[in-house]
Amino acid sequence: MKRVLALVLAAVMLVFSLASCSSLSGDDKGAVITMYLADEIYDFDPMSGYTDSATAKLISLVFEGLTRLDDAGNWEKAMMKSYKVIKPEAEGDNYKIQITLRDSKWSDGRTVQANDFVYAWKRILEPTNKCEAASMLFDVKNARDIKMGDATVDDLGVYAVETYVLEIEFEKEVDPDEFFRTCASVALVPLREDKVGNDDTWAKRASTMVTNGPFDVRKIDYGKLLRLERSSYYYRDTESNQALDKYVTPYRLEIMYSYGDTEKQLD
């Protein structure tokens, strides 16, 4: 069953960023794709969901990090527009990478900012959060000490130096390609502190989720249905006449939780 889901989602991902002009007319919003999943997804929190392949695929449709992986396993830019390496020039300086973000918005219309990455990464490293993804950040200055309880998250070498510029300071020189491949993990996507910080159930209800990926979570009917719909804000200039399907062609994904005869037909 998971193999069927993976194949369908891979096909959907191929249409991202390929549409140069709209094919929609009248009331047509685009394709509605129905797929089936035997194992129900209860939590869209990237910090916990990244360990399950089926859940991670769905999370990658509603959240987007700095990079993503192509079919060959090579990283490519996602939320990252550009980057530059800052090498130490004097004793005491550390190796840094400065990243400029692309212009994109959350599903409620607010722009995605560097601080959203800072918050999400600090959250992973909080000693009280039992998240194995923390090891992905151990090359970042003070990350390991924070996780061990020997420093606070305020000591983490990740900074919003400007609204849309993220700076990462490392313990030692790193291979940018390796680091950006790691950044493709759904565990390292940005999160909104105002939506996540004081709500332990934010990732379990469509009404409380704010996402920055190609699709929004529109409906969760546990045991029956998960509905994702194309985000109106994903890389689109909403003040222009840019086509709704410029970057994401399908309009809706209907994910049914299937059992019995239907499951046998799909396997």
Side-chain angles (χ1 to χ4, degrees):
M1 185 67 68
K2 289 184 179 180
R3 181 178 64 85
V4 175
L5 175 67
L7 291 174
V8 175
L9 293 187
V12 171
M13 291 302 288
L14 287 176
V15 303
F16 294 165
S17 303
L18 296 182
S20 58
C21 60
S22 178
S23 60
L24 305 178
S25 61
D27 295 329
D28 180 21
K29 295 182 179 181
V32 175
I33 299 175
T34 302
M35 57 189 73
Y36 298 88
L37 182 64
D39 298 327
E40 189 167 3
I41 294 172
Y42 296 95
D43 192 340
F44 274 82
D45 191 339
M47 188 172 69
S48 55
Y50 85 100
T51 58
D52 178 78
S53 59
T55 303
K57 288 181 186 299
L58 287 172
I59 290 176
S60 71
L61 293 179
V62 298
F63 287 102
E64 184 162 270
L66 294 173
T67 62
R68 66 172 74 91
L69 298 182
D70 62 18
D71 292 339
N74 300 313
W75 71 269
E76 58 185 19
K77 295 174 184 175
M79 275 300 304
M80 179 172 68
K81 179 180 180 180
S82 62
Y83 76 94
K84 65 178 180 179
V85 171
I86 305 173
K87 294 187 176 181
E89 295 183 353
E91 187 176 350
D93 289 347
N94 286 322
Y95 185 92
K96 301 176 183 178
I97 296 179
Q98 197 172 90
I99 298 167
T100 300
L101 302 180
R102 291 179 63 175
D103 183 15
S104 192
K105 293 182 174 66
W106 292 95
S107 53
D108 64 355
R110 202 202 83 170
T111 56
V112 182
Q113 302 179 10
N115 262 326
D116 299 327
F117 282 94
V118 175
Y119 168 73
W121 291 11
K122 285 182 176 181
R123 178 174 178 257
I124 289 172
L125 290 166
E126 284 280 6
T128 54
N129 287 331
K130 296 180 180 180
C131 178
E132 295 176 2
S135 61
M136 297 179 185
L137 297 172
F138 280 175
D139 285 334
V140 178
K141 182 181 177 182
N142 294 325
R144 190 184 298 270
D145 287 344
I146 293 168
K147 198 62 180 177
M148 296 299 107
D150 297 325
T152 71
V153 290
D154 293 332
D155 298 318
L156 184 65
V158 179
Y159 318 99
V161 295
E162 294 180 22
T163 304
Y164 306 110
V165 179
L166 182 71
E167 186 172 277
I168 305 164
E169 186 176 6
F170 296 90
E171 296 279 359
K172 58 183 179 180
E173 185 170 338
V174 298
D175 179 347
D177 283 331
E178 289 297 325
F179 179 70
F180 289 139
R181 189 173 292 110
T182 299
C183 286
S185 170
V186 295
L188 300 183
V189 299
L191 293 173
R192 287 265 297 277
E193 183 174 8
D194 61 318
K195 299 294 183 180
V196 176
N198 297 313
D199 186 354
D200 292 337
T201 63
W202 70 271
K204 298 179 174 66
R205 293 174 287 127
S207 61
T208 54
M209 262 186 273
V210 177
T211 60
N212 75 315
F215 292 90
D216 302 334
V217 180
R218 290 301 178 90
K219 184 176 182 179
I220 301 177
D221 190 353
Y222 286 109
K224 297 179 181 179
L225 169 72
L226 170 65
R227 176 176 295 158
L228 309 182
E229 288 185 2
R230 179 177 57 225
S231 172
S232 300
Y233 295 105
Y234 182 69
Y235 296 146
R236 285 185 63 247
D237 180 1
T238 53
E239 296 180 359
S240 71
N241 292 322
Q242 219 170 54
L244 280 170
D245 60 347
K246 179 176 177 60
Y247 294 104
V248 184
T249 301
Y251 165 59
R252 177 182 291 168
L253 305 181
E254 296 275 8
I255 300 163
M256 315 295 291
Y257 296 111
S258 172
Y259 304 95
D261 293 339
T262 306
E263 182 178 349
K264 291 178 183 178
Q265 292 172 11
L266 289 172
D267 283 338

